[in-house]
Amino acid sequence: MAARIYQIQKNALQSGKARTDKWVLEFAPSEAKKPDPLTGWAGSGDTQSQVKLTFPSQDAARAYADKYGICYSVIATPPKTLKIQAYADNFR
């Protein structure tokens, strides 16, 4: 049972930074999804892929994974880059 720990990123349509300080522990899928013959919806028997646990810090998420013997990998948060541009640059 493998998991990944990452920090929630800001949505492209989101202007504020609310709820971006949370860390998530998400289990990796253990089997591939396959289409249901009747409805065509994708599904699998893997119930762990539905579980997302949130933590206030990366250390808390790591401590939880260590306590329950979950193999995990931490995905680093990419650095935020701002493109500074003046309004007059739109008319060049």
Side-chain angles (χ1 to χ4, degrees), residues 13-74:
L13 301 174
Q14 182 180 358
S15 62
K17 295 181 181 177
R19 299 184 188 148
T20 58
D21 57 341
K22 304 275 186 199
W23 286 81
V24 176
L25 185 139
E26 182 179 51
F27 293 98
S30 62
E31 64 180 59
K33 291 187 178 184
K34 45 191 177 285
D36 183 22
L38 183 61
T39 62
W41 293 359
S44 69
D46 181 24
T47 58
Q48 289 290 347
S49 64
Q50 300 173 6
V51 177
K52 284 187 182 181
L53 302 173
T54 58
F55 296 94
S57 67
Q58 179 183 0
D59 295 332
R62 284 181 162 188
Y64 179 86
D66 291 336
K67 179 179 178 182
Y68 290 102
I70 300 169
C71 300
Y72 63 90
S73 61
V74 177

